[in-house]
Amino acid sequence: MNKEINGEMINIPEHVAIIMDGNGRWAKKRLMPRTYGHSEGAKAIERTCENADELGIKYLTVYAFSTENWKRSVEEVSTIMNIFRKYLVDSIERSNRNNMRVRIIGKREDLPEDIVEKMDNLEKATANNTGLQFSVAINYGGRDEITRAVRQIASDCMAGKLSPDAVTEDTVSAYLDTKELTDPDLLIRTSGELRTSNFLPWQIAYSEFYFTDVLWPDFDMDELVNACRYYSHRDRRYGGVK
């Protein structure tokens, strides 16, 4: 979709995925604890949802907590979980007001029971919203997602529900957490890091990548527009020749 922004026509991607990085460094620069950075990072998520919707982005998927993040300190993990608890509850009213649908992707088995319940409540409460389709990856790892999908495909094959010869790329996609979503057109990573950190490895096979030095709590509309402008100038050939 083309959108005019400050007199410039920019091709807006349909699906944007974001690796939100830099909360701890943002807090450290301000002589504050890392936990403060995570609190401010949650505010940046709300702001980015509003900005994405304003630009006409249809799908937004963010990496909130990876399967590897459990290795962090008990204090930091506890703080992040409490931020999730508040965010999941507060999001119901805000999401319905903005006609935003929220999905949670990732492995739920290792999460506290009350958080899983809040996830279910948020998804059910926003299921009929038709605006921005917002997905939050919590306790998510790309390899874990693919492993879970392969196990389920194998189980269905053994049960006679699926023929091994019938398994295609579309079949695998249909068993992933993102089965209801399109693949990301644009992947953004903040804080200057240049890796994908096990985020959506299957889905980003043909995504454009935009890396920025901006730390996540400082991510704003200007930077989102910069990312879309970068995407707009890319020649997406999907392995073909033009």
Side-chain angles (χ1 to χ4, degrees):
M1 180 192 75
N2 289 323
K3 184 179 182 67
E4 184 175 350
I5 302 175
N6 297 326
E8 178 185 5
M9 293 302 297
I10 295 178
N11 182 21
I12 303 298
E14 180 180 65
H15 187 172
V16 174
I18 305 179
I19 300 174
M20 308 177 297
D21 196 14
N23 289 341
R25 278 168 282 175
W26 184 90
K28 185 178 181 180
K29 286 175 62 176
R30 290 158 178 77
L31 305 180
M32 298 292 287
R34 290 176 58 87
T35 51
Y36 177 67
H38 293 307
S39 296
E40 293 301 304
K43 296 177 184 177
I45 294 176
E46 298 174 19
R47 184 171 64 242
T48 301
C49 286
E50 295 174 0
N51 293 339
D53 191 40
E54 182 178 340
L55 288 178
I57 293 167
K58 184 175 181 181
Y59 298 95
L60 177 66
T61 303
V62 300
Y63 204 7
F65 190 83
S66 76
T67 50
E68 292 75 33
N69 286 157
W70 295 106
K71 300 173 185 177
R72 297 185 179 185
S73 71
V74 173
E75 178 187 8
E76 185 172 358
V77 170
S78 177
T79 297
I80 292 172
M81 291 298 150
N82 286 332
I83 290 173
F84 286 159
R85 287 183 172 94
K86 184 176 188 305
Y87 181 84
L88 292 167
V89 173
D90 293 347
S91 284
I92 293 179
E93 189 278 331
R94 183 170 56 250
S95 298
N96 285 330
R97 184 177 68 246
N98 295 322
N99 192 29
M100 181 174 76
R101 180 174 181 178
V102 184
R103 295 176 177 86
I104 311 297
I105 64 174
K107 187 177 180 180
R108 302 195 180 196
E109 288 83 351
D110 299 329
L111 292 167
E113 185 176 337
D114 69 300
I115 287 183
V116 174
E117 182 179 356
K118 289 176 174 61
M119 290 176 176
D120 292 339
N121 291 340
L122 176 57
E123 288 185 323
K124 290 175 183 176
T126 65
N128 294 323
N129 292 342
T130 58
L132 179 68
Q133 304 293 291
F134 180 49
S135 300
V136 186
I138 298 177
N139 194 30
Y140 174 88
R143 290 184 175 182
D144 173 75
E145 177 190 30
I146 293 171
T147 300
R148 287 186 282 111
V150 170
R151 284 175 182 158
Q152 189 59 53
I153 290 171
S155 177
D156 285 350
C157 286
M158 291 177 65
K161 299 178 182 178
L162 182 67
S163 168
D165 293 335
V167 175
T168 64
E169 290 185 9
D170 288 340
T171 306
V172 176
S173 294
Y175 279 78
L176 298 176
D177 296 347
T178 55
K179 54 184 173 292
E180 296 180 308
L181 311 176
T182 63
D183 289 341
D185 300 293
L186 174 66
L187 173 72
I188 299 170
R189 179 162 189 157
T190 60
S191 87
E193 299 294 345
L194 305 178
R195 56 182 178 271
T196 59
S197 295
N198 200 20
F199 186 45
L200 305 176
W202 178 276
Q203 298 89 336
I204 62 173
Y206 282 102
S207 301
E208 300 296 334
F209 292 0
Y210 177 80
F211 299 105
T212 174
D213 290 333
V214 170
L215 301 177
W216 175 246
D218 289 331
F219 192 84
D220 58 12
M221 176 64 100
D222 288 342
E223 194 58 31
L224 182 57
V225 169
N226 286 340
C228 291
R229 180 181 292 111
Y230 169 84
Y231 169 82
S232 188
H233 290 119
R234 297 296 298 162
D235 182 13
R236 307 189 74 200
R237 291 185 291 236
Y238 299 97
V241 177
K242 291 184 180 180

